[in-house]
Amino acid sequence: MGRGGRQVQALCRLIPVPVFALVDCNNFYASCEKLFNPRLRDRPVVVLSNNDGCVVARSAEVKALGIPMGVPWFKIRDDARRHGIVAFSSNYALYADMSNRVVDVLSGFAPNLEVYSIDESFLELSGLPLPEGGLVVYGAGIRQRIADWLGLAVCVGIAPTKTLAKLANHCAKKGLAGADGVCDFTAMNRDELTALFERIAVGEVWGVGRKIEARLETMGIRTVRQLRDADPEAIRSRFSVVLERTVRELRGISCIDLEEVVPDRQQIMVSRSFGHLVTDLEELEEAVASYIARAAEKLRSQNSMAGALQVYVRTNIFKPEVPQYQRGVTLPLPEATADTRILAGWARRILRRIYRPGFGYHKAGVMLLDLRPAGNRQFSLLDGQGGTGDARSDRLMAVLDGINQRYGRGSLRLAAEGVDRAWRMRRGNLSPGYTTDWAGLAVVRAV
């Protein structure tokens, strides 16, 4: 065979355009907790929300027991004792670090990657060499490498559109169509896909929530096949262009591109429930200053400034028997800024305006609004420093962020954030920082 023939043969072995893979970690939070504690290998494990309130993640063993997602922890304590369920507080630092490691592994499989959520990523496979055995082999290779290198289990869905890739991932998890951790829709013909889609409820389609599902059912659309075969124009007129795009994607027409660059946030919000009811203004000020520090850190990470600030407080709306109060105020700032000190000062002014004594506050939050690029700074004629104050602020904030990135968030903070911070949310079952804290490193002892 001549050189040209070999080139043509090589091109024929490339993955066609377009093809997407969705890689989703199985029971991600619970799996991270099990990973560093071999005694939990076959134990039922749940992860709880802020203040150890509700179940937000379940291991396969817990799902088999019929424990629903979102159930308050106090309601299943008896079941937990009876079945030996182990509960953990949310360890966000651990989950984020393991998520980054998964992404690092995936980046070795495809140059174009979109991190969709903490446990899901899209890969664009178009134009890559097609392995012997097809794309199922490719997906199996992803699963094996993540299992070998990180000890986590993932499922892979492969299809010509992102919506279909999400659906293929669902099939991979549920073992539909003979899938065993990897489901490749590109290897199935239309009749096979039609038979499969007829068995899947329309609510499993990416972007079809409960409200849309209920409206679709009134139109007689209850399965994925029925939505795929619906008139796109009619769907657009009854719903939106987004759902019309979903119909076309279910037909194999790629309408949603890979987002390799995460767009800047248009607003940044930080809010938390307190570990106990807070009545004291000073404690509220500490909490709000702490939230501002976190929001400002996010603001600077995308090289933006905020032109407005909102602060709100509220009592526990789930306890109607106690006095209720909630209030929030939004304040346009005289100058856009990303300086934690300035933002905290304005937040304190707002808080003092909305605070009312005699109430037990359950939650507070801050929101940075009117975000704009830091390079578009407009200096005040009343500054009197010719902009040099902003340069000093930038250098100081860079030092603050650098120290906290190196030694851990909160290593250097405003005095206004407090020291004891008794208002912090409860995390009584927090696991060690196995990958983020030297003191949390797993220890192996010979017996």
Side-chain angles (χ1 to χ4, degrees), residues 1-43:
M1 181 183 295
R3 179 179 179 184
R6 287 194 297 271
Q7 289 177 337
V8 171
Q9 186 182 44
L11 288 174
C12 292
R13 292 178 181 172
L14 297 182
I15 298 173
V17 178
V19 171
F20 298 91
L22 177 68
V23 181
D24 186 6
C25 299
N26 299 347
N27 314 314
F28 182 57
Y29 286 5
S31 297
C32 289
E33 297 293 353
K34 286 190 171 194
L35 182 60
F36 296 95
N37 191 340
R39 289 175 293 183
L40 300 175
R41 184 180 301 276
D42 298 316
R43 295 282 300 277

Side-chain angles (χ1 to χ4, degrees), residues 372-388:
R372 60 193 72 173
N376 295 351
R377 175 177 290 152
Q378 184 172 356
F379 298 107
S380 171
L381 294 175
L382 304 178
D383 179 16
Q385 301 185 63
T388 58

